Amino acid sequence: LPGPYTSKDQGFQSKQSGEFTGGGKSSQKHKGEKKPEELSKEALLLEKVKDKFMAKNPAVYGDFLKCLSLYVQEVFTASELAVVLDDMFSWSSEMKTLLEELKGYIGLRESLTKYSKNIPMSAIDFSNCEHMGTSYRSLPSDYPIPVCSGRTELCEVVLCDEYVSVPSGSEDYSYSNYRKNQYEESLFKCEDDRFELDMLIETNASTIRAIEPLLDDDRGRGKPDLKSLKAFHFQAIERVYGDHGQEIVDHIKRAPLVAINVVLPRLRQKDEEWRKARRDMNKIWRDVYKDNYHKSLDHRSFYFKQLDKKGLTAKTFISEMKEAREACEKGSQPSPFLLFEMSRQDIHY
């Protein structure tokens, strides 16, 4: 699932990536239905490939179709498909040209763009990109839109792949001169901890919701259908079981009905544990916010303390007095000493 969080946790793209959801019209530019002329170009390309392979070796063309089938079924990634096809298309320069065209249709034409796939948002130059309000910028025209599987018709309508949220002004902590004080550090750490725990709980709860229907629908009727389980569901299971996580996932794929009956109670147990931990931690986090919030607003405190400490040393005082005396002797500044005129000779003598 695409979204506004980057993707460590599978199905969520990073805040640092920050995809903006909304405005379905723009998303159809990349993800919508293809125009008839685009489809005819693809069909013409495949016909050329077919003719070349059939003329040389029909068996190789069969292997080519098998590779495309595995890619469509998401057994191969686009990069893995390209590696396999490189060997098949290596026997002539014309076939290599056809392969480069084919790579363009699966999002691997890197020679035409300066941006590689999955490049972080901080590395993209948004200076010449279209603005949408204060925070949103359009992606460069040569930025390769990542392929996203599992989208429904509703996703195609409401999700936007062209605009991303870009921090600006006080939100932008990427510039080198910015330095957080200790109170801000405490708040940022608190926010990170809360985010990580929320992600743990929500991905675990999503996995539970995905597994429960498998037991309800297929209990006693053979092997459950695991198509509803996505990659982040399996990663949530691996996280719960730690070093044995991959072994448990293999058991689920091999004997789903048996393994799921063991895994589901464990996921529910961890859900209760993590929610209880969040309730306990909320009390601690509340105290952290209370103690640090107002102090964190003094963003110049660190620099003031440095300057005060340096300016109140004896060496600095002596240096300032010497500079004032030298300036007075040169006549560029008035004397730093207090002078009083004593005009009454009968009193002051």
Side-chain angles (χ1 to χ4, degrees), residues 297-325:
L297 299 179
D298 186 8
H299 64 282
R300 293 284 299 172
S301 62
F302 178 82
Y303 303 100
F304 285 142
K305 287 180 180 178
Q306 275 191 335
L307 294 175
D308 288 346
K309 185 176 180 180
K310 181 180 178 181
L312 294 176
T313 59
K315 183 177 180 181
T316 303
F317 284 143
I318 294 174
S319 176
E320 288 180 355
M321 287 187 287
K322 286 183 177 179
E323 291 176 0
R325 181 177 177 179

Side-chain angles (χ1 to χ4, degrees), residues 1 3 10 16 74 79 109 112 120 122 147 163 173 179 186 216 230 238 240 267-269 275-276 284-286 290 332:
L1 295 174
Q10 320 68 346
Q16 322 56 72
E74 299 182 5
S79 301
R109 187 181 293 170
L112 301 180
S122 58
V147 178
Y163 288 86
Y173 299 110
R179 181 171 182 177
S186 299
D216 296 338
K230 306 299 181 183
E238 291 181 17
V240 169
L267 294 178
R268 288 171 175 165
Q269 178 189 358
R275 290 182 187 276
K276 182 179 182 300
I284 299 175
W285 289 330
R286 189 180 299 114
K290 182 179 178 180
S332 58

Side-chain angles (χ1 to χ4, degrees), residues 155-278:
C155 293
E156 298 292 355
V157 174
V158 301
L159 296 181
C160 177
D161 297 316
E162 291 186 6
Y163 288 86
V164 293
S165 177
V166 179
S168 59
S170 61
E171 298 176 346
D172 189 1
Y173 299 110
S174 60
Y175 58 93
S176 58
N177 292 331
Y178 180 79
R179 181 171 182 177
K180 297 186 287 290
N181 58 40
Q182 58 181 336
Y183 309 109
E184 285 180 294
E185 291 283 2
S186 299
L187 295 182
F188 274 66
K189 184 177 184 304
C190 188
E191 287 293 330
D192 290 341
D193 293 342
R194 291 184 65 184
F195 174 77
E196 292 296 334
L197 186 53
D198 285 344
M199 290 295 295
L200 282 177
I201 292 173
E202 293 305 322
T203 52
N204 189 66
S206 175
T207 307
I208 293 173
R209 290 193 297 269
I211 289 178
E212 286 175 340
L214 299 180
L215 293 180
D216 296 338
D217 296 341
D218 297 289
R219 191 180 297 277
R221 293 193 298 167
K223 188 175 180 180
D225 187 5
L226 300 180
K227 290 183 180 179
S228 60
L229 295 182
K230 306 299 181 183
F232 71 93
H233 291 139
F234 289 116
Q235 290 175 357
I237 295 172
E238 291 181 17
R239 186 185 301 111
V240 169
Y241 284 91
D243 296 336
H244 301 285
Q246 186 58 50
E247 182 181 352
I248 297 298
V249 169
D250 293 339
H251 283 308
I252 292 176
K253 294 178 179 179
R254 187 166 52 249
L257 195 58
V258 177
I260 285 174
N261 279 288
V262 177
V263 170
L264 185 57
R266 177 64 172 161
L267 294 178
R268 288 171 175 165
Q269 178 189 358
K270 295 303 292 184
D271 184 67
E272 293 177 2
E273 291 179 5
W274 285 336
R275 290 182 187 276
K276 182 179 182 300
R278 182 167 63 178

Side-chain angles (χ1 to χ4, degrees), residues 1-19 118-122 143 146 195-196 199 203 232 235:
L1 295 174
Y5 299 105
T6 352
S7 201
K8 268 177 158 169
D9 253 340
Q10 320 68 346
F12 300 92
Q13 297 256 352
S14 41
K15 283 183 198 176
Q16 322 56 72
S17 67
E19 288 204 13
N118 300 323
I119 187 173
M121 289 292 135
S122 58
Y143 179 81
F195 174 77
E196 292 296 334
M199 290 295 295
T203 52
F232 71 93
Q235 290 175 357

Side-chain angles (χ1 to χ4, degrees), residues 28-30 32-45 105:
Q28 293 181 359
K29 177 179 177 181
H30 295 287
E33 295 184 358
K34 294 184 177 180
K35 297 178 181 180
E37 56 268 23
E38 292 178 350
L39 292 175
S40 63
K41 290 180 181 178
E42 292 180 10
L44 183 60
L45 173 63
Y105 287 110

